Amino acid sequence: MLPREAYTNADALIRAFFRLTVSRRHLLQWTTAEENENSRHIGISLISLAAGIVCLFAGTAIHRFSGIMFLSEIPFSVFSAKIKKAPVRKISSDERETLVSYCRDMWKFFDDFCTSEYNYLIPDNIQLNSQFNIAKRTSPTNLGLMLCTFLASRDLGFIDTKEMYVRISLSLDTIGNLPVYKGNLYNWYNIETLSIMEPEFISSVDSGNFLCCLTALKEGLKEYTDELPQITELTDKINRLIDRCDFGFLYSPRRNLFHTGFDVKNNKFSDSYYDLLMSESRMAGYFAVAKGHAPVKHWQALGRPLSADGRYTGTVSWSGTMFEYFMPALFLPDIPRTLADESLNFCIYAQKKRVRKTDIPYGISESAYYSFDPALNYRYKAHGVSSLAMKRNNENETVISPYSTFLTLPFDPHSAMKNLEHLKEIGMYGKFGFYEAVDFTPSRTDGHNYAIIKSYMAHHVGMSFLSAANAVFSGIMQKRFMENSFMAGGESLL
């Protein structure tokens, strides 16, 4: 590449000298690197060809060696200039029909439980094992996903614009009257009494998730203003909820990172921070920088430790879960050939590889598993893939969650649909769509091949619903989020 570099630098030097001292014209003329590569690639390769031939047939051994190196630049440059095309990520008409049917069943969960009995707030989960149980609490993430699910249900035609307006309005009225700290919702509320649940804690990621959901919701509602002018009442309420929130108080200027949260009763920030790019907090961090709650150096401070598996390379997360990688992609667009894009592909590959030699579906994330606490509630924890994780995971445990597959729908739709069909075949489908998870861990399945966790969690159902909407409508929630002027202004971070 030396002749090419020499030619390029000499050309620039001669042009600059001529324009400055002789012609005095085109002093501000310039071309981008991409334009330069496209327009002059062949000409510069001919320079390497000529230099290579001269050196190959004249001079000493070192000259002939240089000639070979100069000639090798041509195929190398042609090969390296080829840009890998982004994969086609559209679903077929049959897949679309199946996916909409899944969404219709998931919608029943919100339709049945987001009622006046619970002040139009969605319960955290329901459990259908030996006894039916409703967890009468909710979180900011649950609420944000609930509101966006109302919007997506209108997109899919499950409800009309008037019903969407009524549902969102009732829920926003309740949310607007919940006790807050510096405008931030607390981590848990009792949905019957609307009181704060102990501990009185403000979660950075939950607050960020709620704000991101509100941002996409507001932009999406504007699309229906012509059908119902009262929609502007909702967007005004949403603006007030966003504007009252001091999200920046959770940011540590010393560390350039967000604390995981704040203990209100003890007036104390958590000692831990969200410090990795591949984290569910990525979305909250982007919102904070784009909205001015945190400086750009926060984004730069997020860790990007690399790992490789086969021909794939990407950044790792803490637990190696689908959730950490793909939850932010509900609203953040995927830019092809970026580090984040490569990391998402890396995650899908590693997740599939984890179960490749078995007849087990893929999709490992944080979820409930087949173990019970003293109150007979399913236990819950993060399950991950070791090649994706900084922490050590127990490779003897295998718990598969359908929402993990749903999150990958916009990125790997055909494999995702086949995986969901596999899950359905083993009995993972119920009244409200796919159950929470299936546990293949031998020590917990009482001699059976697997045990099904028959519960539905609001944030898992909500994420599945929105990801399906993104797959059906070509990233509709991402587009709405980025239609916000502040969010659009931060796109260069991605």
Side-chain angles (χ1 to χ4, degrees), residues 312-424:
Y312 288 86
T313 301
T315 61
V316 298
S317 68
W318 176 248
S319 300
T321 66
M322 284 285 204
F323 176 67
E324 292 165 301
Y325 281 83
F326 285 95
M327 189 276 182
L330 291 174
F331 298 107
L332 294 181
D334 177 48
I335 310 299
R337 294 177 292 277
T338 60
L339 179 60
D341 176 63
E342 292 297 325
S343 298
L344 296 181
N345 292 326
F346 172 54
C347 177
I348 292 174
Y349 169 80
Q351 289 267 348
K352 289 179 178 179
K353 183 180 178 181
R354 171 69 168 73
V355 297
R356 183 177 296 164
K357 297 180 181 180
T358 70
D359 190 34
I360 295 174
Y362 64 88
I364 298 174
S365 213
E366 61 174 61
S367 70
Y369 58 104
Y370 202 72
S371 179
F372 301 90
D373 66 15
L376 296 182
N377 295 308
Y378 288 115
R379 288 191 168 95
Y380 185 98
K381 69 176 181 178
H383 311 275
V385 175
S386 293
S387 61
L388 297 169
M390 293 189 70
K391 81 163 191 175
R392 180 173 296 177
N393 286 298
N394 185 353
E395 292 295 320
N396 294 320
E397 290 187 325
T398 303
V399 181
I400 305 299
S401 50
Y403 88 89
S404 298
T405 301
F406 272 97
L407 287 176
T408 68
L409 269 168
F411 301 87
D412 190 22
H414 306 307
S415 290
M417 292 300 293
K418 290 178 182 177
N419 203 51
L420 289 172
E421 182 61 30
H422 190 176
L423 287 162
K424 196 172 183 181

Side-chain angles (χ1 to χ4, degrees), residues 16-50:
F17 179 78
F18 179 79
R19 291 174 183 177
L20 285 169
T21 61
V22 181
S23 71
R24 308 295 297 174
R25 297 174 62 193
H26 305 300
L27 295 178
L28 297 178
Q29 186 186 54
W30 65 285
T31 57
T32 65
E34 181 179 9
E35 290 171 338
N36 185 60
E37 289 293 316
N38 292 337
S39 63
R40 299 169 64 194
H41 178 75
I42 295 176
I44 294 177
S45 293
L46 290 176
I47 298 296
S48 294
L49 177 62

Side-chain angles (χ1 to χ4, degrees), residues 75-333:
F76 175 79
S77 62
V78 171
F79 176 78
S80 62
K82 289 184 177 180
I83 298 176
K84 182 181 177 182
K85 293 183 179 179
V88 177
R89 293 171 172 172
K90 291 186 178 180
I91 59 175
S92 68
S93 56
D94 288 343
E95 288 171 334
R96 185 186 191 280
E97 184 177 341
T98 300
L99 199 51
V100 171
S101 72
Y102 292 161
C103 288
R104 192 178 298 277
D105 288 334
M106 287 189 282
W107 166 241
K108 294 174 187 174
F109 175 78
F110 293 92
D111 190 26
D112 283 8
F113 296 104
C114 189
T115 63
S116 59
E117 181 181 1
Y118 302 124
N119 292 291
Y120 306 102
L121 306 181
I122 194 69
D124 181 67
N125 68 80
I126 63 168
Q127 191 163 297
L128 309 172
N129 56 333
S130 58
Q131 59 183 14
F132 179 77
N133 182 50
I134 299 176
K136 297 173 183 178
R137 63 179 183 272
T138 201
S139 69
T141 296
N142 289 343
L143 297 178
L145 293 172
M146 173 196 72
L147 292 168
C148 285
T149 297
F150 293 157
L151 173 62
S153 296
R154 172 62 190 91
D155 297 330
L156 289 162
F158 300 161
I159 58 177
D160 60 22
T161 305
K162 179 65 176 178
E163 183 176 348
M164 175 189 70
Y165 164 79
V166 171
R167 285 180 177 274
I168 294 176
S169 181
L170 289 170
S171 295
L172 285 178
D173 285 345
T174 300
I175 293 170
N177 289 316
L178 292 174
V180 296
Y181 182 83
K182 294 182 181 287
N184 293 273
L185 293 176
Y186 284 84
N187 206 32
W188 292 106
Y189 294 92
N190 182 302
I191 57 176
E192 291 183 314
T193 66
L194 303 183
S195 59
I196 304 166
M197 297 182 69
E198 295 286 344
E200 295 184 5
F201 189 75
I202 306 298
S203 163
S204 296
V205 73
D206 274 287
S207 289
N209 290 345
F210 182 66
L211 290 168
C212 289
C213 288
L214 289 183
T215 301
L217 175 67
K218 182 181 72 172
E219 299 301 328
L221 285 172
K222 292 177 183 178
E223 299 167 17
Y224 292 101
T225 305
D226 290 342
E227 296 183 27
L228 194 68
Q230 296 99 306
I231 291 291
T232 56
E233 298 174 11
L234 299 184
T235 57
D236 288 343
K237 289 179 181 179
I238 293 168
N239 278 330
R240 287 194 290 272
L241 289 176
I242 294 174
D243 292 342
R244 77 179 185 179
C245 183
D246 177 12
F247 187 52
F249 97 95
L250 293 159
Y251 179 73
S252 168
R254 183 177 64 86
R255 296 287 298 270
N256 296 322
L257 298 169
F258 276 91
H259 295 273
T260 54
F262 180 75
D263 183 335
V264 176
K265 182 171 287 188
N266 295 311
N267 194 35
K268 184 179 184 298
F269 288 105
S270 58
D271 294 327
S272 54
Y273 303 84
Y274 287 109
D275 60 354
L276 293 175
L277 181 68
M278 285 300 116
S279 161
E280 67 272 25
S281 69
R282 184 165 79 253
M283 188 167 71
Y286 180 90
F287 175 89
V289 174
K291 201 73 167 62
H293 292 291
V296 174
K297 57 186 176 182
H298 162 62
W299 194 258
Q300 298 165 343
L302 294 173
R304 294 160 171 85
L306 293 175
S307 181
D309 193 352
R311 63 187 180 89
Y312 288 86
T313 301
T315 61
V316 298
S317 68
W318 176 248
S319 300
T321 66
M322 284 285 204
F323 176 67
E324 292 165 301
Y325 281 83
F326 285 95
M327 189 276 182
L330 291 174
F331 298 107
L332 294 181

